[in-house]
Amino acid sequence: VIRDLSAEGFAAACEEAVAIGTPFWLQLPGLHDIPAEVKWRRGPFIGCEFEHGLSARAILSIVVKAG
């Protein structure tokens, strides 16, 4: 579950133990997989930085599709 989203990355709930530095791909309906890397972990949450920042248009598309 995504908790926060920005042009640079996202925070999400993640039940699996994921190490810092692990490659991660954000998969969203209707969009291509977005490569990222885990930068931090706090309890059940991870923070990831996108390999390439998202444009404002891409973020708007994600928000509109999420309803």
Side-chain angles (χ1 to χ4, degrees):
V1 175
I2 296 175
R3 307 288 299 201
D4 185 31
L5 176 69
S6 72
E8 292 81 29
F10 65 96
C14 182
E15 295 180 12
E16 296 181 33
V18 180
I20 292 171
T22 299
F24 200 93
W25 288 265
L26 181 61
Q27 298 176 330
L28 298 168
L31 295 175
H32 65 294
D33 293 354
I34 305 167
E37 181 178 308
V38 177
K39 293 295 185 179
W40 57 263
R41 179 165 186 91
R42 293 186 192 106
F45 302 103
I46 59 171
C48 296
E49 180 179 20
F50 294 126
E51 189 174 298
H52 305 286
L54 295 182
S55 67
R57 185 176 181 172
I59 292 173
L60 180 59
S61 175
I62 292 166
V63 170
V64 168
K65 288 179 183 187

